[in-house]
Amino acid sequence: MNKQVDRERNVDTESKPDFAGPYGQLTPTGGGDIIPLVKDRLLIGRRGECDIQLKFANVSGQHCRLTLEHGYWFIRDLNSRNGIKVDGRPVIRKRLDPHCKVSIAKHHFTIEYEPQLLGAYGPPPADDDYLEDLMKSSLMDRAGLKKRDPKSPYSNRDLNE
């Protein structure tokens, strides 16, 4: 944010960033029209009823959804054919931090917004990256149980019972 001096009142004021929409914008990285974020819940896809229409053959009819949660944008894939990526990684649901790269099918954007202006305070809400790490581990590991050693199968039993 830029600090400016209000000459009439001689007071420092912070100017708001200039975005295309009240909730920020999606800026195409390869050039093109900026997409304003005008609501706190946006459906992105090829169909006419979508809030943001991307008329490309590789974009699904209802490709993904953007939702504003606690001042931060989140993106969720709606079982699209060509998926979504955030900063080059395929995701199902992810928090979009300001200025991160969002790929919808093969179309790349940078999301620009100011979380504090959208109601954010304190640390950002939990991201869903932990789910990916969680799914890589076995159910036994997630439950805190270890596999038995085949050489001593009764090692965790109390034989005095």
Side-chain angles (χ1 to χ4, degrees):
M1 287 193 207
N2 300 326
K3 274 198 159 181
Q4 296 179 341
V5 176
D6 185 344
R7 296 193 196 294
E8 293 174 4
R9 291 182 272 160
N10 245 353
V11 180
D12 285 346
T13 59
E14 290 191 18
S15 64
K16 289 184 180 180
D18 191 23
F19 296 128
Y23 296 97
Q25 64 190 32
L26 285 174
T27 305
T29 56
D33 294 335
I34 290 174
I35 301 169
L37 303 176
V38 295
K39 299 188 315 187
D40 60 358
R41 190 173 162 95
L42 297 162
L43 180 62
I44 300 174
R46 199 176 62 240
R47 291 188 185 156
E49 70 265 8
C50 292
D51 300 306
I52 298 174
Q53 293 179 28
L54 300 176
K55 303 248 180 208
F56 301 103
N58 61 350
V59 174
S60 296
Q62 292 186 348
H63 201 94
C64 59
R65 181 177 306 283
L66 288 175
T67 54
L68 189 65
E69 300 174 20
H70 307 291
Y72 286 85
W73 282 105
F74 280 77
I75 191 167
R76 176 181 292 281
D77 189 359
L78 298 176
N79 297 320
S80 64
R81 185 179 60 224
N82 292 312
I84 56 175
K85 291 181 181 180
V86 176
D87 292 328
R89 293 181 55 207
V91 297
I92 302 297
R93 182 179 187 273
K94 177 125 176 64
R95 185 184 69 231
L96 301 176
D97 293 326
H99 309 293
C100 72
K101 184 179 175 184
V102 179
S103 300
I104 300 169
K106 300 271 183 198
H107 309 281
H108 311 292
F109 303 89
T110 301
I111 187 161
E112 299 176 68
Y113 69 101
E114 195 65 45
Q116 290 78 18
L117 296 177
L118 301 178
Y121 59 90
D127 201 352
D128 290 348
D129 277 346
Y130 75 93
L131 288 175
E132 182 179 320
D133 294 334
L134 185 68
M135 296 310 282
K136 288 179 184 175
S137 62
S138 73
L139 283 172
M140 295 293 281
D141 289 339
R142 284 186 250 166
L145 303 172
K146 304 259 189 230
K147 290 183 181 177
R148 287 188 180 159
D149 183 4
K151 294 178 184 171
S152 55
Y154 303 106
S155 62
N156 64 343
R157 294 176 102 189
D158 186 4
L159 299 175
N160 294 330
E161 289 181 1

